Amino acid sequence: MNKPVLDIQDRPTVGQWITLSLQHLFAMFGATILVPYLVGLDPSIALLTSGLGTLAFLLITKWQVPAYLGSSFAYIAPIIAAKTAGGPGAAMIGSFLAGLVYGVVALIIKKAGYRWVMKLLPPVVVGPVIIVIGLGLAGTAVGMAMNGPDGKYSLLHFSVALVTLAATIVCSVLARGMLSLIPVLVGIVVGYVYALAVGLVDLSKVAAAKWFEWPDFLIPFADYPVRITAEIVMLMVPVAIVTLSEHIGHQLVLSKVVGRDLIQKPGLHCSILGDGTATMISALLGGPPKTTYGENIGVLAITRVYSVYVLAGAAVIAIAFGFVGKITALISSIPTPVMGGVSILLFGIIASSGLRMLIDSRVDFGQTRNLVIASVILVIGIGGAVLKISDSFQITGMALSAIVGVLLNLVLPGRPQEAENLFEAENDSGHVA
């Protein structure tokens, strides 16, 4: 390991603090605002709750895990479905319940260890489900990219998406240093400038917006009735199967970056509880579910600045940005094809990360067992299968594929043994499970 510039408990100077915190903010900014944009939530709430969630995470992990929490892409389709079924309030209830699942899992892990989690969520299950998440959103991305406000094909709008996509790809592949960590933000900026040049941007709301503006909170009981239905539970809660595995993967990578076994100390149960608490805080205020961000782990790896004070600083700035009306209005003025352009790449990367998990974990598709599990998950998830038990209770698409995958993995013979120590197993094999 390279010697850290600032270790986990090191306090930066004021100048370093502001600069390095802004760097982390920019790394997560593009992806974090994209999720609320896609699901129809207030971007300022996403910024505010990402900051609050990160502070809660740092507190729960005893200021030992340098991680930033942003909006989770895994919940995009479930939030849209929940909003369609019962309005924004239903999506928030579902998000809160998903966060509550994290709390339950954290409690069980503290008492019984984490091996049972790996039995439920091996790469052969989680990898294909992640592919389903990405490819299931492909139609949404393409529709945003090539259609005008009337829903019909528009070459002008598609050109905006293609310019945005090209800028994002070029930055991802050719950029170095900090720019290589913010390709989404760069793509949005380039696409926005092009859209402005061709007349697709309306800046009137930005001019009219106040500098200080109260975010559009969604508070339970005050803004919507709290009714927990089986449909909401089945739309949102099963997604935690995937995001829990994503969380474990991030903790393994982060442990490798900082040179400490974070799975053991402060413990996987602490980081999972922190992630779930951040999601519940977000749901109570009207924001999307939260997850640790790979972009910010990348910033840690490149800069070798692991200080939790820097992450906390980024969180405070994000909270402050949530109350700046001009920023919210500027985000809202981004044309749909710009977001469609970056979504084409982002959703494809989600699907590709599922493939990478299968490759890195050396899942052998020469074994019929693995081939069956992955095949069934992919077709059920991408095909949009629905298990309708009654008019008010049904399990759809991604949730159904995840549940079926877990059951097949438990029932079919030949399940491999799990490693005793996740961090040591990851270091020995040289890859992340």
Side-chain angles (χ1 to χ4, degrees):
M1 294 297 300
N2 293 324
K3 184 179 179 180
V5 175
L6 286 173
D7 212 344
I8 292 176
Q9 299 300 326
D10 290 346
R11 193 188 297 263
T13 64
V14 174
Q16 287 177 325
W17 204 337
I18 295 172
T19 303
L20 295 171
S21 293
L22 282 171
Q23 185 170 247
H24 271 287
L25 181 71
F26 290 141
M28 70 87 193
F29 195 89
T32 290
I33 65 169
L34 179 58
V35 174
Y37 187 97
L38 292 173
V39 301
L41 296 175
D42 186 356
S44 64
I45 295 291
L47 287 174
L48 172 65
T49 53
S50 75
L52 291 173
T54 298
L55 291 178
F57 178 89
L58 293 173
L59 182 63
I60 291 170
T61 56
K62 306 170 186 176
W63 302 91
Q64 295 179 33
V65 181
Y68 194 95
L69 279 71
S71 306
S72 174
F73 279 81
Y75 288 90
I76 291 174
I79 288 176
I80 294 172
K83 284 184 67 179
T84 302
M92 294 304 102
I93 293 169
S95 297
F96 185 88
L97 293 174
L100 199 60
V101 169
Y102 272 66
V104 173
V105 170
L107 181 61
I108 298 174
I109 287 176
K110 185 176 181 180
K111 298 295 183 183
Y114 50 71
R115 292 193 67 198
W116 66 275
V117 179
M118 305 314 295
K119 289 181 181 179
L120 285 177
L121 305 173
V124 72
V125 172
V126 177
V129 173
I130 293 175
I131 294 172
V132 167
I133 292 172
L135 296 185
L137 293 166
T140 300
V142 172
M144 292 171 62
M146 69 181 189
N147 296 330
D150 57 359
K152 296 181 180 179
Y153 177 83
S154 167
L155 181 59
L156 179 62
H157 285 75
F158 198 22
S159 71
V160 172
L162 293 176
V163 168
T164 305
L165 176 61
T168 308
I169 291 173
V170 168
C171 188
S172 299
V173 175
L174 300 180
R176 295 292 180 268
M178 182 58 191
L179 281 179
S180 67
L181 298 170
I182 54 171
V184 174
L185 184 60
V186 171
I188 290 174
V189 170
V190 172
Y192 188 89
V193 171
Y194 176 75
L196 186 63
V198 297
L200 293 184
V201 178
D202 180 9
L203 293 175
S204 59
K205 291 183 179 179
V206 180
K210 300 176 182 177
W211 280 104
F212 178 83
E213 199 166 284
W214 204 249
D216 188 15
F217 291 108
L218 274 175
I219 309 298
F221 298 106
D223 294 318
Y224 58 88
V226 176
R227 288 194 297 267
I228 300 175
T229 66
E231 185 178 10
I232 291 174
V233 171
M234 295 313 300
L235 279 172
M236 301 289 291
V237 170
V239 185
I241 294 173
V242 182
T243 52
L244 275 168
S245 180
E246 178 186 44
H247 176 93
I248 293 170
H250 282 169
Q251 291 306 296
L252 288 170
V253 173
L254 191 55
S255 294
K256 195 171 185 179
V257 168
V258 303
R260 291 173 173 82
D261 187 355
L262 302 176
I263 301 295
Q264 294 293 337
K265 183 182 179 182
L268 185 61
H269 63 284
C270 285
S271 61
I272 287 178
L273 179 61
D275 205 333
T277 301
T279 292
M280 288 189 283
I281 290 172
S282 185
L284 289 174
L285 297 177
K290 297 293 179 268
T291 184
T292 47
Y293 254 33
E295 292 91 334
N296 293 88
I297 295 174
V299 173
L300 294 173
I302 286 182
T303 63
R304 290 183 288 121
V305 173
Y306 310 144
S307 172
V308 290
Y309 294 101
V310 171
L311 276 302
V316 171
I317 297 172
I319 293 170
F321 274 20
F323 291 93
V324 180
K326 292 286 187 184
I327 290 178
T328 303
L330 188 64
I331 294 170
S332 300
S333 72
I334 299 173
T336 299
V338 171
M339 290 306 198
V342 294
S343 295
I344 289 173
L345 180 61
L346 278 175
F347 296 161
I349 287 175
I350 292 172
S352 298
S353 67
L355 287 172
R356 180 178 176 178
M357 175 179 282
L358 294 171
I359 294 168
D360 288 349
S361 303
R362 300 173 188 172
V363 175
D364 183 7
F365 282 105
Q367 294 183 16
T368 304
R369 179 183 189 277
N370 293 337
L371 190 62
V372 167
I373 293 172
S375 300
V376 172
I377 290 173
L378 289 171
V379 173
I380 287 178
I382 297 173
V386 178
L387 179 61
K388 184 177 286 188
I389 298 172
S390 67
D391 291 337
S392 60
F393 180 72
Q394 60 183 27
I395 309 173
T396 59
M398 183 176 61
L400 182 59
S401 68
I403 293 170
V404 170
V406 168
L407 292 176
L408 284 175
N409 178 63
L410 293 175
V411 170
L412 295 179
R415 187 169 69 243
Q417 294 294 317
E418 293 77 26
E420 290 289 341
N421 187 299
L422 286 177
F423 182 59
E424 289 180 2
E426 197 278 342
N427 282 337
D428 290 343
S429 63
H431 59 79
V432 178

